Amino acid sequence: MSLAAIQSINLLFPLFVIPYVSRVLGPENLGLVNFATSFLTYFTLIINYGFDYAATREISVVREDKEKVSVIFNEVINSKILLFTVSSLLYFVIILSSEKYSSHIFLYYVSYTSVISAIFYSPWLFQGMQKLTVFTITNLIFRVASMGFIFLFIQEASDYNLYQLINGLTIFLTAIATLIYAHMKFTINFKWLPVKESISKIKSNFLLFISIVIVNFNTTSTIVLLGYLTSYETVGYYTASMKVYSVIASLSLFPISQVLYPHLATKFKESTEIGLHTVKKLIPKILLAVAVVSGCLIAASRLIIDILYGDKFASSVAILQTLAPLLIISTLVNILCYQVMLNLKMDKHFLKINSIGFVMNIVISMSLVPVFNAYGTCASLYMIELTIVVVSLIILRKNNYKVY
């Protein structure tokens, strides 16, 4: 099993509880929980700091040497503890000083379990050791257990705090259980390291951290900005639509990411010309297939929302229909940036392009959301993705890489 399996579980598993939870909590409380979850993402990103990629790479090279694996493990965990300390100070200053958060202070207290979990949640260790099956099965077991607790204890709209606590504890218990297994199986023992070593480790991964933050910020910030500028009910309608869109997008992009990237890597290794020629042939076929998926999503939006969320979320139908064509543009972004640029070793250009999207997202959302609410957020996503496509094509052409 791969890291994609874990991501698929985390993405698809909520679909089993959404029909129940959405009807119990309603749009406003579900929107409040989703807003809090998106807010937490900023702090978990800081604590994870790109170690899911960097540490996986480091451990995979030395996985036969238990002593070196243990050294890397302790460097990462100590660095995460230091980042957790900084994140916690920032977290509590914000939630205690802003009425937006303090008015639901208990929700942010129980949500804190997810921030703590970020220290110990270690798929990078199991990925590097090529033992990810154990991690995936453990994750699945606790997800199934959490589903039982949700059906048993979430009975009315005011139970949103308990719902958030169950979600947080699921991640926390998965993290602790897998670390216990790692201690027994890989003979890894935790030890404190000098703060200087942790700071050095953090500095060495700074550019990777910035890249990951920028890539993830566009998705997270749309929900946070929407929550700040509109109501939790609007966030509920938007996140319901975005959840469906994200699942469809992931299922559509998964074969592109998992199959196309290594295929293109082989072609580009033969020669740049062969790689680009392959891309030119594949783009129309892929976009046509995604366009069909997008059309089906538009047609089935009302049925999907009705099944998953119920009548209270009727306003989500039009939002989902608005988002559906974005699949086509997002697929093109994936091909140009992730498949072509990364295979051509254009990492710096990749970072610059995403930085442009990062700035645009804030500026456009601040301008459009107060006027058009969730549709302003949708418009912002379209403008960002289209800009990334245009800039990517310009940069590729300037470097004599023609993909059309």
Side-chain angles (χ1 to χ4, degrees):
M1 292 187 184
S2 67
L3 196 58
I6 296 175
Q7 294 169 341
S8 297
I9 291 172
N10 292 336
L11 187 67
L12 295 173
F13 201 81
L15 295 181
F16 293 102
V17 297
I18 279 176
Y20 177 75
V21 170
S22 61
R23 286 165 173 80
V24 174
L25 298 185
E28 184 174 358
N29 287 339
L30 188 61
L32 173 59
V33 169
N34 288 335
F35 174 81
T37 302
S38 295
F39 174 69
L40 287 170
T41 302
Y42 295 131
F43 302 93
T44 55
L45 276 174
I46 292 172
I47 297 168
N48 286 329
Y49 204 77
F51 291 126
D52 285 349
Y53 298 93
T56 298
R57 184 172 58 242
E58 291 177 27
I59 289 175
S60 65
V61 175
V62 300
R63 64 176 177 271
E64 302 299 332
D65 190 327
K66 292 184 178 181
E67 187 175 334
K68 289 182 179 178
V69 169
S70 186
V71 168
I72 295 169
F73 172 82
N74 281 296
E75 286 176 347
V76 172
I77 296 297
N78 275 267
S79 298
K80 282 192 167 192
I81 291 172
L82 181 58
L83 292 166
F84 167 77
T85 304
V86 175
S87 296
S88 296
L89 289 172
L90 184 61
Y91 181 82
F92 284 106
V93 166
I94 293 173
I95 68 169
L96 294 174
S97 61
S98 171
E99 188 179 348
K100 186 76 176 177
Y101 303 104
S102 60
S103 58
H104 299 282
I105 194 66
F106 189 70
L107 175 64
Y108 291 96
Y109 284 152
V110 299
S111 297
Y112 193 64
T113 53
S114 296
V115 181
I116 299 172
S117 301
I119 303 173
F120 309 107
Y121 197 70
S122 309
W124 47 269
L125 173 61
F126 290 83
Q127 179 86 337
M129 296 296 290
Q130 294 188 355
K131 299 290 184 181
L132 202 54
T133 299
V134 174
F135 191 95
T136 305
I137 293 172
T138 305
N139 189 31
L140 183 59
I141 290 170
F142 281 105
R143 287 285 180 181
V144 171
S146 72
M147 185 169 66
F149 283 112
I150 287 170
F151 288 137
L152 186 62
F153 293 109
I154 308 304
Q155 299 293 329
E156 52 189 51
S158 59
D159 290 334
Y160 61 87
N161 288 322
L162 182 57
Y163 173 65
Q164 186 75 331
L165 179 61
I166 291 172
N167 287 331
L169 286 176
T170 301
I171 301 172
F172 179 77
L173 293 174
T174 300
I176 297 302
T178 50
L179 275 187
I180 292 172
Y181 176 87
H183 167 70
M184 295 186 298
K185 182 69 175 180
F186 309 139
T187 60
I188 291 175
N189 295 300
F190 174 77
K191 68 176 183 179
W192 289 103
L193 299 178
V195 175
K196 286 185 178 179
E197 289 189 29
S198 297
I199 293 174
S200 177
K201 186 74 174 179
I202 290 169
K203 286 181 177 178
S204 66
N205 286 285
F206 181 71
L207 287 178
L208 176 61
F209 166 67
I210 294 298
S211 301
I212 291 170
V213 166
I214 289 173
V215 169
N216 284 275
F217 188 86
N218 288 338
T219 302
T220 303
S221 62
T222 54
I223 297 172
V224 174
L225 286 172
L226 191 62
Y228 264 107
L229 299 172
T230 62
S231 65
Y232 291 130
E233 186 175 10
T234 300
V235 174
Y237 295 137
Y238 175 78
T239 51
S241 304
M242 183 51 75
K243 171 62 72 175
V244 176
Y245 173 84
S246 297
V247 170
I248 300 299
S250 296
L251 293 175
S252 300
L253 293 175
F254 181 79
I256 298 175
S257 301
Q258 298 297 311
V259 179
L260 184 59
Y261 184 80
H263 174 68
L264 286 179
T266 302
K267 295 297 181 180
F268 276 108
K269 190 174 182 180
E270 292 179 29
S271 76
T272 301
E273 290 74 20
I274 293 175
L276 292 173
H277 178 70
T278 304
V279 171
K280 287 179 185 179
K281 287 198 306 181
L282 289 175
I283 283 180
K285 297 176 183 177
I286 292 172
L287 292 184
L288 178 60
V290 173
V292 172
V293 173
S294 177
C296 291
L297 182 56
I298 292 172
S301 291
R302 187 171 301 279
L303 178 62
I304 294 171
I305 294 296
D306 187 52
I307 292 172
L308 290 178
Y309 293 95
D311 295 339
K312 293 179 182 178
F313 286 82
S315 297
S316 297
V317 175
I319 299 173
L320 180 56
Q321 290 173 333
T322 304
L323 286 170
L326 187 64
L327 275 173
I328 302 168
I329 307 171
S330 296
T331 301
L332 192 54
V333 168
N334 183 281
I335 294 171
L336 294 175
C337 292
Y338 291 89
Q339 312 303 324
V340 177
M341 284 192 167
L342 293 184
N343 269 309
L344 290 171
K345 313 296 183 186
M346 299 175 71
D347 300 51
K348 290 183 178 179
H349 291 295
F350 177 78
L351 179 58
K352 287 178 182 178
I353 290 168
N354 280 287
S355 299
I356 292 170
F358 175 86
V359 175
M360 282 186 64
N361 189 17
I362 298 174
V363 175
I364 297 173
S365 293
M366 293 290 286
S367 303
L368 297 181
V369 171
V371 181
F372 301 104
N373 295 326
Y375 297 100
T377 301
C378 295
S380 174
L381 292 175
Y382 273 97
M383 292 180 188
I384 292 165
E385 297 283 77
L386 283 170
T387 301
I388 290 175
V389 168
V390 172
V391 174
S392 298
L393 289 172
I394 291 172
I395 290 175
L396 287 168
R397 197 164 187 84
K398 280 187 176 180
N399 286 271
N400 295 317
Y401 300 129
K402 299 178 181 178
V403 294
Y404 61 93

